[in-house]
Every structure is written in structure tokens, then in C-alpha cells.
Amino acid sequence: MKKIYIFDVDDTLIDTKACIRAIDENGNEVFRAGTKVFNAPDSTERLLRPGLSWDFSEFESLEQIKSERTLEPFNVLMAVADKYPCYIITARQRNDMLHTWLNDAGIKIDIDNIFCFNRDYKGTVAHWKEETLLNIIMQEGAGEVHIYEDDVNNLRAMEEAVIMLNATPILNTCF
């Protein structure tokens, strides 16, 4: 049975300290939100206020990601990257930066195996991750899919994708 490994980045591979900045109409920073606050179930109501825009630039910085503390799934990725197909499916935007970070850490993953969320996508991140994973499983013909993810909604959606294609999900929660 062919195995593949799927990893999220923020709060899964790393203990994310980068923040999303809320900017008002005058270009002033109103507040900063960490990933746990921004992705909380009630965040839409609390954070999406008229006139605010979002600055995700800290998530695009190679220096920032290199400064983050790695978590146990990072060690798993290091151990399996040269043995099994590994993929990154993340809400981050820059696969080139992630590719450089992984390469600098000694993890060789093809840049085409790093999938970054398109902010113009009309659905949820969970739905996008599910669609992305469906495509990967069909391409790989995987029978066993190991998923490392910190967000329960993303994890559920990805589990459904695996089961839909009659593969076996091995879920590794990181919350």
C-alpha cells in the first residue's frame, strides 16, 4: 500500500509566533492577531470589521519562519521526506519561501509538492485543503495518507477526502 505524508505549517511544523496585522483605512495598525486567534471558530464575527484590511507579510518572511521553534511533526517530516512522497498544504502564500526554508533545514521536497492557499479562493481553507488533497491522492494512487494538521475543521475535511477515495487516513492532530 503506497503511503504519502501531508503536513500543515503553522502550529503544526512550527510553533507560529508570526501575526496577522489588522490595518484601518488610514494605514494604521489597529491590532495584531496570532494564528490561534485569527483561526478561532468565532474569529469572523470578532475580527472582520468594516474598513479593516489584513497584512500577512510576517508569514512571507524567510527570516521569520527560520526564527520559529519547530514542533514534533517537523522531525517526522525530516525522517520521512527521503522515503515517501511528502506534501505541504498550507494557508501561507509563498511556496518559494517555504521551499527555501525546508531546503535550508535539509528537507528536500519538490516545490510542486508545496501547495499554498489562494486568497481569491471563494471557499474555506478547509474546503480548499480537501480539494487539494483529493487531487494529490488521485495523482499518487495512495492507499495510506498520513495527515499532520492542527485545525480540527481542516483535519475533518481532509479525512473525508481520504475516505472518499477509499484510502486509509492516519490522522495526527497537533492541537
Side-chain angles (χ1 to χ4, degrees), residues 138-164:
M138 288 188 295
Q139 172 189 320
E140 288 285 352
E144 186 175 293
V145 182
H146 296 254
I147 302 170
Y148 291 80
E149 171 67 57
D150 69 299
D151 184 277
V152 67
N153 294 319
N154 294 344
L155 195 62
R156 284 185 188 133
M158 293 166 72
E159 178 183 30
E160 288 174 16
V162 175
I163 292 169
M164 189 182 317

mmCIF file of all heavy atoms in Angstrom, residues 138-164:
data_model
loop_
_atom_site.group_PDB
_atom_site.id
_atom_site.type_symbol
_atom_site.label_atom_id
_atom_site.label_comp_id
_atom_site.label_asym_id
_atom_site.label_seq_id
_atom_site.Cartn_x
_atom_site.Cartn_y
_atom_site.Cartn_z
ATOM 1 N N MET A 138 -5.387 11.183 -5.865
ATOM 2 C CA MET A 138 -5.661 10.623 -7.200
ATOM 3 C C MET A 138 -4.382 10.553 -8.021
ATOM 4 O O MET A 138 -4.145 9.573 -8.726
ATOM 5 C CB MET A 138 -6.750 11.428 -7.896
ATOM 6 C CG MET A 138 -8.120 11.200 -7.277
ATOM 7 S SD MET A 138 -9.500 11.941 -8.185
ATOM 8 C CE MET A 138 -9.159 13.669 -8.048
ATOM 9 N N GLN A 139 -3.554 11.573 -7.942
ATOM 10 C CA GLN A 139 -2.288 11.603 -8.686
ATOM 11 C C GLN A 139 -1.333 10.520 -8.183
ATOM 12 O O GLN A 139 -0.685 9.837 -8.975
ATOM 13 C CB GLN A 139 -1.645 12.978 -8.525
ATOM 14 C CG GLN A 139 -0.231 13.095 -9.080
ATOM 15 C CD GLN A 139 0.408 14.408 -8.679
ATOM 16 O OE1 GLN A 139 -0.226 15.444 -8.680
ATOM 17 N NE2 GLN A 139 1.675 14.363 -8.332
ATOM 18 N N GLU A 140 -1.241 10.354 -6.880
ATOM 19 C CA GLU A 140 -0.290 9.414 -6.282
ATOM 20 C C GLU A 140 -0.804 7.976 -6.246
ATOM 21 O O GLU A 140 -0.008 7.054 -6.143
ATOM 22 C CB GLU A 140 0.057 9.846 -4.845
ATOM 23 C CG GLU A 140 0.936 11.061 -4.760
ATOM 24 C CD GLU A 140 2.382 10.779 -5.116
ATOM 25 O OE1 GLU A 140 2.770 9.605 -5.297
ATOM 26 O OE2 GLU A 140 3.144 11.754 -5.226
ATOM 27 N N GLY A 141 -2.137 7.813 -6.263
ATOM 28 C CA GLY A 141 -2.694 6.478 -6.087
ATOM 29 C C GLY A 141 -2.417 5.939 -4.696
ATOM 30 O O GLY A 141 -2.169 4.748 -4.507
ATOM 31 N N ALA A 142 -2.442 6.821 -3.711
ATOM 32 C CA ALA A 142 -2.087 6.456 -2.341
ATOM 33 C C ALA A 142 -3.175 5.633 -1.680
ATOM 34 O O ALA A 142 -4.363 5.867 -1.876
ATOM 35 C CB ALA A 142 -1.821 7.714 -1.524
ATOM 36 N N GLY A 143 -2.740 4.677 -0.887
ATOM 37 C CA GLY A 143 -3.666 3.866 -0.113
ATOM 38 C C GLY A 143 -3.669 4.237 1.358
ATOM 39 O O GLY A 143 -4.624 3.975 2.077
ATOM 40 N N GLU A 144 -2.578 4.861 1.819
ATOM 41 C CA GLU A 144 -2.456 5.263 3.219
ATOM 42 C C GLU A 144 -1.956 6.701 3.256
ATOM 43 O O GLU A 144 -0.909 7.003 2.678
ATOM 44 C CB GLU A 144 -1.478 4.330 3.939
ATOM 45 C CG GLU A 144 -1.383 4.561 5.423
ATOM 46 C CD GLU A 144 -0.495 3.512 6.091
ATOM 47 O OE1 GLU A 144 -0.890 2.328 6.109
ATOM 48 O OE2 GLU A 144 0.599 3.900 6.562
ATOM 49 N N VAL A 145 -2.724 7.568 3.901
ATOM 50 C CA VAL A 145 -2.417 9.003 3.901
ATOM 51 C C VAL A 145 -2.229 9.466 5.341
ATOM 52 O O VAL A 145 -3.169 9.457 6.137
ATOM 53 C CB VAL A 145 -3.534 9.819 3.211
ATOM 54 C CG1 VAL A 145 -3.171 11.294 3.181
ATOM 55 C CG2 VAL A 145 -3.798 9.287 1.805
ATOM 56 N N HIS A 146 -1.005 9.864 5.664
ATOM 57 C CA HIS A 146 -0.675 10.383 6.988
ATOM 58 C C HIS A 146 -0.836 11.895 6.955
ATOM 59 O O HIS A 146 -0.183 12.567 6.151
ATOM 60 C CB HIS A 146 0.762 10.016 7.362
ATOM 61 C CG HIS A 146 0.970 8.546 7.495
ATOM 62 N ND1 HIS A 146 1.117 7.940 8.713
ATOM 63 C CD2 HIS A 146 1.032 7.551 6.563
ATOM 64 C CE1 HIS A 146 1.267 6.636 8.538
ATOM 65 N NE2 HIS A 146 1.228 6.372 7.242
ATOM 66 N N ILE A 147 -1.701 12.431 7.811
ATOM 67 C CA ILE A 147 -2.001 13.862 7.820
ATOM 68 C C ILE A 147 -1.592 14.461 9.157
ATOM 69 O O ILE A 147 -2.005 13.984 10.214
ATOM 70 C CB ILE A 147 -3.503 14.113 7.576
ATOM 71 C CG1 ILE A 147 -3.937 13.496 6.252
ATOM 72 C CG2 ILE A 147 -3.810 15.614 7.616
ATOM 73 C CD1 ILE A 147 -5.445 13.486 6.040
ATOM 74 N N TYR A 148 -0.794 15.524 9.094
ATOM 75 C CA TYR A 148 -0.385 16.295 10.272
ATOM 76 C C TYR A 148 -1.003 17.679 10.137
ATOM 77 O O TYR A 148 -0.655 18.440 9.233
ATOM 78 C CB TYR A 148 1.137 16.380 10.360
ATOM 79 C CG TYR A 148 1.767 15.042 10.675
ATOM 80 C CD1 TYR A 148 1.954 14.082 9.685
ATOM 81 C CD2 TYR A 148 2.139 14.730 11.979
ATOM 82 C CE1 TYR A 148 2.506 12.848 9.985
ATOM 83 C CE2 TYR A 148 2.690 13.491 12.283
ATOM 84 C CZ TYR A 148 2.866 12.559 11.279
ATOM 85 O OH TYR A 148 3.411 11.329 11.572
ATOM 86 N N GLU A 149 -1.919 18.009 11.047
ATOM 87 C CA GLU A 149 -2.721 19.234 10.933
ATOM 88 C C GLU A 149 -3.164 19.673 12.318
ATOM 89 O O GLU A 149 -3.514 18.831 13.149
ATOM 90 C CB GLU A 149 -3.941 18.955 10.041
ATOM 91 C CG GLU A 149 -4.984 20.038 9.973
ATOM 92 C CD GLU A 149 -4.522 21.311 9.307
ATOM 93 O OE1 GLU A 149 -4.090 21.263 8.140
ATOM 94 O OE2 GLU A 149 -4.594 22.361 9.968
ATOM 95 N N ASP A 150 -3.160 20.990 12.564
ATOM 96 C CA ASP A 150 -3.568 21.499 13.877
ATOM 97 C C ASP A 150 -5.022 21.952 13.935
ATOM 98 O O ASP A 150 -5.598 22.040 15.011
ATOM 99 C CB ASP A 150 -2.683 22.679 14.304
ATOM 100 C CG ASP A 150 -2.938 23.911 13.453
ATOM 101 O OD1 ASP A 150 -2.720 23.840 12.230
ATOM 102 O OD2 ASP A 150 -3.359 24.945 14.004
ATOM 103 N N ASP A 151 -5.647 22.232 12.804
ATOM 104 C CA ASP A 151 -7.012 22.765 12.795
ATOM 105 C C ASP A 151 -8.018 21.629 12.621
ATOM 106 O O ASP A 151 -7.970 20.887 11.633
ATOM 107 C CB ASP A 151 -7.151 23.788 11.659
ATOM 108 C CG ASP A 151 -8.502 24.440 11.643
ATOM 109 O OD1 ASP A 151 -9.443 23.834 11.080
ATOM 110 O OD2 ASP A 151 -8.639 25.548 12.188
ATOM 111 N N VAL A 152 -8.943 21.507 13.562
ATOM 112 C CA VAL A 152 -9.887 20.385 13.551
ATOM 113 C C VAL A 152 -10.779 20.402 12.306
ATOM 114 O O VAL A 152 -11.094 19.349 11.755
ATOM 115 C CB VAL A 152 -10.707 20.338 14.861
ATOM 116 C CG1 VAL A 152 -11.646 21.525 14.987
ATOM 117 C CG2 VAL A 152 -11.450 19.032 14.981
ATOM 118 N N ASN A 153 -11.188 21.587 11.837
ATOM 119 C CA ASN A 153 -12.020 21.654 10.627
ATOM 120 C C ASN A 153 -11.254 21.201 9.396
ATOM 121 O O ASN A 153 -11.790 20.482 8.549
ATOM 122 C CB ASN A 153 -12.572 23.069 10.428
ATOM 123 C CG ASN A 153 -13.536 23.455 11.521
ATOM 124 O OD1 ASN A 153 -14.363 22.652 11.954
ATOM 125 N ND2 ASN A 153 -13.428 24.675 12.008
ATOM 126 N N ASN A 154 -10.015 21.615 9.295
ATOM 127 C CA ASN A 154 -9.177 21.175 8.175
ATOM 128 C C ASN A 154 -8.950 19.671 8.244
ATOM 129 O O ASN A 154 -9.012 18.969 7.228
ATOM 130 C CB ASN A 154 -7.827 21.893 8.194
ATOM 131 C CG ASN A 154 -7.945 23.380 7.938
ATOM 132 O OD1 ASN A 154 -8.954 23.873 7.465
ATOM 133 N ND2 ASN A 154 -6.907 24.102 8.286
ATOM 134 N N LEU A 155 -8.706 19.182 9.439
ATOM 135 C CA LEU A 155 -8.450 17.753 9.626
ATOM 136 C C LEU A 155 -9.666 16.917 9.221
ATOM 137 O O LEU A 155 -9.530 15.915 8.517
ATOM 138 C CB LEU A 155 -8.061 17.482 11.079
ATOM 139 C CG LEU A 155 -7.434 16.140 11.384
ATOM 140 C CD1 LEU A 155 -6.119 15.974 10.631
ATOM 141 C CD2 LEU A 155 -7.204 15.995 12.872
ATOM 142 N N ARG A 156 -10.841 17.341 9.635
ATOM 143 C CA ARG A 156 -12.066 16.614 9.273
ATOM 144 C C ARG A 156 -12.279 16.608 7.761
ATOM 145 O O ARG A 156 -12.639 15.592 7.174
ATOM 146 C CB ARG A 156 -13.276 17.239 9.960
ATOM 147 C CG ARG A 156 -13.379 16.893 11.414
ATOM 148 C CD ARG A 156 -14.669 17.429 12.019
ATOM 149 N NE ARG A 156 -14.658 17.256 13.447
ATOM 150 C CZ ARG A 156 -14.988 18.189 14.312
ATOM 151 N NH1 ARG A 156 -15.389 19.374 13.898
ATOM 152 N NH2 ARG A 156 -14.947 17.950 15.601
ATOM 153 N N ALA A 157 -12.102 17.761 7.140
ATOM 154 C CA ALA A 157 -12.296 17.857 5.692
ATOM 155 C C ALA A 157 -11.299 16.974 4.952
ATOM 156 O O ALA A 157 -11.658 16.282 3.984
ATOM 157 C CB ALA A 157 -12.170 19.312 5.230
ATOM 158 N N MET A 158 -10.060 16.961 5.406
ATOM 159 C CA MET A 158 -9.040 16.155 4.754
ATOM 160 C C MET A 158 -9.292 14.666 4.991
ATOM 161 O O MET A 158 -9.091 13.846 4.095
ATOM 162 C CB MET A 158 -7.654 16.588 5.222
ATOM 163 C CG MET A 158 -7.317 18.006 4.730
ATOM 164 S SD MET A 158 -5.908 18.777 5.526
ATOM 165 C CE MET A 158 -4.563 17.860 4.832
ATOM 166 N N GLU A 159 -9.769 14.310 6.167
ATOM 167 C CA GLU A 159 -10.122 12.919 6.437
ATOM 168 C C GLU A 159 -11.228 12.456 5.488
ATOM 169 O O GLU A 159 -11.173 11.349 4.942
ATOM 170 C CB GLU A 159 -10.577 12.758 7.890
ATOM 171 C CG GLU A 159 -11.002 11.343 8.249
ATOM 172 C CD GLU A 159 -11.521 11.219 9.665
ATOM 173 O OE1 GLU A 159 -12.080 12.201 10.194
ATOM 174 O OE2 GLU A 159 -11.370 10.127 10.238
ATOM 175 N N GLU A 160 -12.227 13.306 5.274
ATOM 176 C CA GLU A 160 -13.316 12.967 4.348
ATOM 177 C C GLU A 160 -12.785 12.714 2.942
ATOM 178 O O GLU A 160 -13.245 11.806 2.251
ATOM 179 C CB GLU A 160 -14.360 14.088 4.326
ATOM 180 C CG GLU A 160 -15.191 14.172 5.586
ATOM 181 C CD GLU A 160 -16.116 15.381 5.600
ATOM 182 O OE1 GLU A 160 -16.348 15.993 4.534
ATOM 183 O OE2 GLU A 160 -16.607 15.705 6.697
ATOM 184 N N ALA A 161 -11.826 13.523 2.501
ATOM 185 C CA ALA A 161 -11.243 13.342 1.170
ATOM 186 C C ALA A 161 -10.569 11.982 1.046
ATOM 187 O O ALA A 161 -10.721 11.286 0.038
ATOM 188 C CB ALA A 161 -10.231 14.459 0.882
ATOM 189 N N VAL A 162 -9.838 11.598 2.077
ATOM 190 C CA VAL A 162 -9.130 10.318 2.053
ATOM 191 C C VAL A 162 -10.129 9.162 1.995
ATOM 192 O O VAL A 162 -9.999 8.248 1.167
ATOM 193 C CB VAL A 162 -8.207 10.189 3.294
ATOM 194 C CG1 VAL A 162 -7.570 8.811 3.343
ATOM 195 C CG2 VAL A 162 -7.140 11.280 3.280
ATOM 196 N N ILE A 163 -11.135 9.221 2.843
ATOM 197 C CA ILE A 163 -12.142 8.151 2.897
ATOM 198 C C ILE A 163 -12.928 8.083 1.587
ATOM 199 O O ILE A 163 -13.230 6.991 1.093
ATOM 200 C CB ILE A 163 -13.075 8.362 4.113
ATOM 201 C CG1 ILE A 163 -12.278 8.128 5.408
ATOM 202 C CG2 ILE A 163 -14.294 7.450 4.043
ATOM 203 C CD1 ILE A 163 -12.990 8.562 6.673
ATOM 204 N N MET A 164 -13.228 9.242 0.998
ATOM 205 C CA MET A 164 -13.970 9.299 -0.266
ATOM 206 C C MET A 164 -13.271 8.503 -1.363
ATOM 207 O O MET A 164 -13.914 7.915 -2.226
ATOM 208 C CB MET A 164 -14.132 10.768 -0.695
ATOM 209 C CG MET A 164 -15.062 10.997 -1.858
ATOM 210 S SD MET A 164 -15.159 12.758 -2.367
ATOM 211 C CE MET A 164 -15.250 13.624 -0.825
#
